[in-house]
Amino acid sequence: MNLLLLHADDLDAEHCALIHGRRLQHLHDIHRAEAGQTLRAGLLGGNMGSALIERLDSHEARLRLTLDRPPPAKLPLTLILALPRPKMLKRTLQTIAAMGVQTLVLVNSVRVEKSFWQTPWLTPDAIREQLLLGLEQACDTVLPNVILEKRFKPFVQDRLPALAADSLKLVAHPGDYPACPRALDHQPLTLAIGPEGGWIPYEVALLQEAGFTPVQLGPRILRVETAVPALIARLY
Ligand code: SAM
């Protein structure tokens, strides 16, 4: 936790924050925090700055806040990700929030196991919990938008054109394709990353019909959790 992320209901009338639970435990166990110490802090969806610990005991911490600067800009990136298996989903959600992805679409694909859609890690609260860990890690306060699309074809044909309008559209797919571009700067991008078994040819063809260009990262096939940061780092 490099940023103490505060929620509106942590704040009292004097613009101080009262902290309990996981974050209080983290202050004690990891920061070895003491009264008088200053920590990096941010308000979820708002500004970042510092928090002076006024009082700290085993039940509660009271922090005086100076939140005077905006969070880092998001990447102009919509990531379309075939739903990964639950364990990988948790880690990948943290990475996606930490790297500043603006919008994440978790989509079905032929090679996504049906049971993956039943996981408790896909409830809004569970997704939010992992994203918050990513924000705390990277020092950001703004959650990515998350959309779940359980049917690939209607999503690609009906909703993706508007979602990806005016952006560069790429689908990462190993094979004999052009190399993935580098350092797009601030160019808006919609990037599709496949499941563990890869996109099937029909899915790539549908994405191509929607204006997506297949690109590859070289002969090494990367796991989804590695492909996500490798592609984002290369593209931005
Ligand atoms: N056997 C699968 C295939 O050949 O497509 C491998 C899938 S890979 C584990 C999961 C996803 O990561 C792929 O669908 C693709 O989007 C991305 N990926 C991994 N390695 C890649 C590479 N070398 N080039 C392009 N995309 C890659």
Side-chain angles (χ1 to χ4, degrees), residues 80-82 88 111 171-175 177-178 180 191-200 204 214-228 230-231:
I80 296 167
L81 184 65
M88 204 180 283
R111 292 192 176 133
V171 47
H173 196 48
Y177 298 107
C180 179
L191 171 68
I193 299 181
E196 263 171 81
W199 300 114
I200 64 166
V204 176
V215 293
Q216 50 83 22
L217 272 183
R220 294 175 192 275
I221 309 293
L222 304 178
R223 278 173 181 268
V224 174
E225 64 187 302
T226 311
V228 168
L231 283 157

Side-chain angles (χ1 to χ4, degrees), residues 8-203:
D9 56 10
D10 295 326
L11 305 186
D12 67 13
E14 295 166 49
H15 284 287
C16 282
L18 299 172
I19 302 299
H20 311 94
R22 174 184 71 85
R23 291 168 299 161
L24 176 66
Q25 204 59 46
H26 194 91
L27 291 188
H28 282 296
D29 298 349
I30 309 296
H31 289 275
R32 307 256 176 240
E34 291 175 3
Q37 206 174 321
T38 301
L39 304 167
R40 257 190 310 243
L43 182 62
L44 187 62
N47 268 357
M48 310 197 320
S50 61
L52 171 68
I53 304 177
E54 288 192 337
R55 179 164 47 76
L56 177 72
D57 58 30
S58 55
H59 303 292
E60 188 176 83
R62 186 167 197 264
L63 310 168
R64 184 158 293 280
L65 305 175
T66 309
L67 303 180
D68 52 7
R69 57 173 201 277
K74 287 275 185 259
L75 298 175
L77 170 62
T78 296
L79 181 60
I80 296 167
L81 184 65
L83 180 65
R85 68 177 57 248
K87 227 168 119 185
M88 204 180 283
L89 171 68
K90 283 172 63 181
R91 291 193 293 258
T92 308
L93 286 170
Q94 291 183 31
T95 302
I96 283 166
M99 294 200 78
V101 173
Q102 197 157 42
T103 299
L104 168 68
V105 183
L106 290 168
V107 70
N108 197 28
S109 152
V110 167
R111 292 192 176 133
V112 168
E113 282 182 31
K114 284 199 172 56
S115 63
F116 293 176
W117 287 101
Q118 310 307 324
T119 173
W121 294 108
L122 214 46
T123 60
D125 282 351
I127 291 176
R128 182 182 154 96
E129 192 184 330
Q130 297 307 316
L131 296 175
L132 289 176
L133 290 173
L135 295 182
E136 289 175 350
Q137 170 61 38
C139 296
D140 188 357
T141 65
V142 181
L143 287 163
N145 308 312
V146 179
I147 301 167
L148 304 188
E149 288 285 356
K150 289 191 179 177
R151 293 174 65 219
F152 182 83
K153 187 176 171 189
F155 164 63
V156 173
Q157 291 187 327
D158 303 338
R159 290 180 287 286
L160 187 53
L163 193 67
D166 303 323
S167 70
L168 179 66
K169 303 172 192 57
L170 302 176
V171 47
H173 196 48
D176 190 12
Y177 298 107
C180 179
R182 292 172 193 273
L184 293 179
D185 208 8
H186 298 298
Q187 186 173 352
L189 168 69
T190 308
L191 171 68
I193 299 181
E196 263 171 81
W199 300 114
I200 64 166
Y202 172 75
E203 291 167 337

